[in-house]
Amino acid sequence: MSDDSFLREVEEELRSDKLKAFWRRFAPFIIGGAVLIVLLVAANEVWKWYRTSTAANASDQYYAALDMAESGDVTGAQAAFAELEASGPDGYATLARFQEAALLAEEGDPQAALAAYDALAASLDQRRLRELAYVLGGYIAVDHLDVGAVEQRVGGLTGDESSMRNSAREALGLAHYKAGNIEEARANFEAMAADPNAGQDVQLRAFIYLEQLASTGVDVSEDLLEAASPAGPAPDQITVPAESPSLDTVGQPLEAETEQ
């Protein structure tokens, strides 16, 4: 055997010994790491399956509760929403709380509905949902409380940065009109009409409010009246749909409506 062959064999033996020693030393860590990765992947897949399954079940519960409410089984719907609130995923639990508050209002318990909406607003982290709870509570307060109660709920939502600004302005305008504060009511309705980003339904309601104020002798901008009308006609050329909100409905049960 040549010297070169002998040296190569020695080197190979040394490398083999080093590899064996390395494996004996680090094998538990390598195997443990591989097992950990497998377990993490498996756990992630199980969690995805669980969330999907839970969301699907919660969705079925939610729509079943809605069906009960629509069919007149209010007690059953309230129990179903309460169960979903207690055990469902966060999203459906929040929806259930909104529905519970709405049912209380529909069943003629405005104080309980107001308390439910106020509790929702105080507990929600999502800004838009929190604003929605305040606005829905504000609409109920228009019919059952004073201007200060409405202002407390929606007074901070009338700025341009709020997506619920026109609903807040509407609630405030109706509350001021009910209280006899005509100028404050006009200012809120004009702010609705002047908003370039207001939806068509908001523009229509603003037109109705301003047109009714104008018919009582209140000085309302003709430009705003035309701008608030979806088709831009003069006030005496529009037919107000019977189901549209108007100032004459203040003091009657009011169905909250939010802009798109």
Side-chain angles (χ1 to χ4, degrees), residues 13 21 29 51 95 122 159 162 204:
E13 287 292 333
F29 301 102
R51 289 189 63 184
L95 286 175
S162 172
L204 175 59

Side-chain angles (χ1 to χ4, degrees), residues 74-142:
V74 176
T75 301
Q78 288 174 328
F81 284 131
E83 180 182 351
L84 189 57
E85 178 188 343
S87 60
D90 289 345
Y92 281 102
T94 299
L95 286 175
R97 293 180 67 188
F98 271 101
Q99 291 295 341
E100 285 183 286
L103 281 176
L104 289 169
E106 291 173 10
E107 288 302 294
D109 193 349
Q111 296 303 324
L114 275 168
Y117 282 127
D118 289 345
L120 256 173
S123 65
L124 290 171
D125 294 329
Q126 300 94 329
R127 175 182 172 183
R128 290 191 176 183
L129 289 177
R130 183 171 63 249
E131 291 181 352
L132 176 60
Y134 276 130
V135 165
L136 293 174
Y139 276 123
I140 296 175
V142 168

Side-chain angles (χ1 to χ4, degrees), residues 143-162:
D143 295 318
H144 301 283
L145 299 176
D146 59 16
V147 174
V150 180
E151 179 78 35
Q152 179 182 1
R153 288 168 174 81
V154 303
L157 307 181
T158 58
D160 291 339
E161 72 283 355
S162 172

Side-chain angles (χ1 to χ4, degrees), residues 161-185:
E161 72 283 355
S162 172
S163 61
M164 303 298 294
R165 58 188 176 275
N166 286 313
S167 292
R169 292 164 181 168
E170 181 176 32
L172 279 172
L174 291 172
H176 279 296
Y177 181 84
K178 179 183 175 184
N181 306 326
I182 301 303
E183 285 304 310
E184 289 83 353

